[in-house]
Amino acid sequence: MPKKIKETDYILASSRIKCIEKNLLSRDKLERMSGAKSPEDALKLLNEFGWPEIAKPTMTAVEEILTSRRSEAFALVRNMVQDKQLADIFLIKYDYHNLKTLLKSEATGENPDNLLIDSGMFPWRRLKVMLQEDKFKDLTKNMASSIAEARDVLARTQDPLLLDLILDKAMYADMLEIANSLDFSFLKDYILLMIDSVNLRAYVRSQRMGKGPEVLRYALIPGGTVSISRLLGEVSADIVEHVFQISPFAAAAQTGAQALRGETSLYAVDLACENVLLKYLKKAKYVAFGAEPLVGYLAALEAELTSVRTVIAGLLAGLSAETITERLRETYV
């Protein structure tokens, strides 16, 4: 039986989060950073906006700060929530990132340590030992079964993309199971939207990249609100628009159709989908008290980290302010 989320358990936590979320970066601040003359100037602005000083304008230094801020935010929220699974549903994707990296390193023999992220439910060193010893009793059932399947597929096909897709499917299955274990419709509906988003993007991306139906079967995630059966049939711009026409992704699907016709980029499709998710999350801002503001804040924090990465990486690559701004998603505040 699902565990009921009690609004009264989150009165103090939601009030505190509403104060903290005001410190998230606004669209205006991100655009000011995008228009900076140099990466150094953008980092100075970031420091003025309340972020720690980043001494060197390198992606390595930026990633260290992003990891630190993510860990601090998750630790803060996890200490405030009555139901730890609310945080776990956001943490688990870092475990899957680490599993992907570790499994690929098994095949290549390369040292993966500098690519691993200590933001998941399990320290990456512990995951590394589990894989070395083939002891998965502490992992979720989906994690354990996906490891065996991914190893087998990678050995047969030598295609790391299929490994990624197998683990992605297991990750969303875990997220959905966590959401279903809680009587909390806001969180469950968010996960369902995430699955729909993944499926729309997977369909468009696989067709644009000329991938065959086998890759698409691996890529599509079951369990969302939109049936994936029609996406496995005919390939056309009209199909993607029709399948998503009565969902919140109707406009994003139109962008996807444009991408299939070569009229816009895959990045535009990703951005359109991300903005649908953020629009849904903003509903949490209007909840007086409850767990919704905590979920909204965690998702918004991750979106902010992505935006900061986009700005600094763009400046380091010499992109124009206009190009960088076009790549920014909507903000929570």
Side-chain angles (χ1 to χ4, degrees), residues 23-35:
N23 296 322
L24 291 169
L25 297 176
S26 65
R27 175 84 183 192
D28 177 66
K29 289 179 178 178
L30 288 167
E31 289 185 1
R32 285 177 60 190
M33 289 174 58
S34 301

Side-chain angles (χ1 to χ4, degrees), residues 101-112 154:
T101 303
L102 288 165
L103 288 170
K104 290 173 188 176
S105 73
E106 289 181 352
T108 63
E110 297 176 355
N111 187 336
L154 187 60

Side-chain angles (χ1 to χ4, degrees), residues 196 199-200 226 231 240-247 249-250 253:
D196 290 341
N199 289 337
L200 194 164
V226 176
L231 296 177
V240 72
E241 284 188 280
H242 181 72
V243 170
F244 289 91
Q245 66 179 343
I246 59 172
S247 81
F249 291 94

